[in-house]
Amino acid sequence: MRGDLSIRHYEAADRDDVVALWTACNLVVPWNDPVADIALAVSKPNATILIGRADDRTVASVMVGHDGHRGWFYYLAVDPECRGNGHGRAMVRAAEGWLVEAGMSKAQLMVRATNHAVVAFYERLGYATGPVTVMQKWLKTDFP
């Protein structure tokens, strides 16, 4: 599929398509409920989900938000059948633009250590591994 990509903000009717896309891209894990993640993102003024559509269907998405100091990307997804058409690059550029509009001067993201292809993708877009350690603590442990 090579249709032109149009990018817009998430609408409630997009939910099932977005969850299906994230699932097809292996982004859904037991500790992240995609429906809850979508609801949280769209309920906050400092976050949004951008939807990429081509050939009358959702083929890409990215969740983007900021903490008031720097921006973050999550759930960047491109339908496996549509990869190689520049859709991922277009979604990243749209997310960067949203962050610039929000006054952010830095974008960050996390990639699972085993996902070497995605690291290479972001490196081609000018992203680099930073000299930081990401630490975490689960505040909720009753995952499905």
Side-chain angles (χ1 to χ4, degrees):
M1 298 198 155
R2 179 133 179 102
D4 290 333
L5 189 72
S6 63
I7 299 173
R8 63 167 171 75
H9 287 272
Y10 173 90
E11 299 170 0
D14 295 321
R15 190 191 76 188
D16 293 344
D17 288 345
V18 170
V19 171
L21 175 65
W22 292 354
T23 301
C25 293
N26 296 314
L27 298 178
V28 176
V29 292
W31 53 89
N32 290 113
D33 176 354
V35 173
D37 287 349
I38 290 168
L40 182 61
V42 300
S43 74
K44 304 296 181 187
N46 63 327
T48 193
I49 300 171
L50 300 174
I51 303 297
R53 295 195 41 94
D55 300 323
D56 294 318
R57 66 185 191 94
T58 299
V59 298
S61 73
V62 63
M63 181 185 292
V64 59
H66 67 83
D67 58 17
H69 181 66
R70 62 181 55 96
W72 290 88
F73 300 161
Y74 304 91
Y75 287 112
L76 175 66
V78 175
D79 184 313
E81 294 178 14
C82 299
R83 291 181 182 163
N85 293 322
H87 297 340
R89 177 183 300 269
M91 296 305 294
V92 168
R93 296 296 182 236
E96 290 171 343
W98 187 90
L99 289 170
V100 168
E101 286 285 320
M104 300 299 108
S105 59
K106 183 179 185 181
Q108 297 188 160
L109 52 99
M110 293 181 278
V111 178
R112 290 187 186 107
T114 57
N115 201 340
H116 304 290
V118 170
V119 170
F121 165 78
Y122 281 115
E123 287 174 342
R124 288 191 302 274
L125 296 180
Y127 287 78
T129 303
V132 299
T133 299
V134 175
M135 298 178 73
Q136 64 185 20
K137 175 183 177 183
W138 291 108
L139 302 176
K140 176 185 172 193
T141 58
D142 58 337
F143 307 115

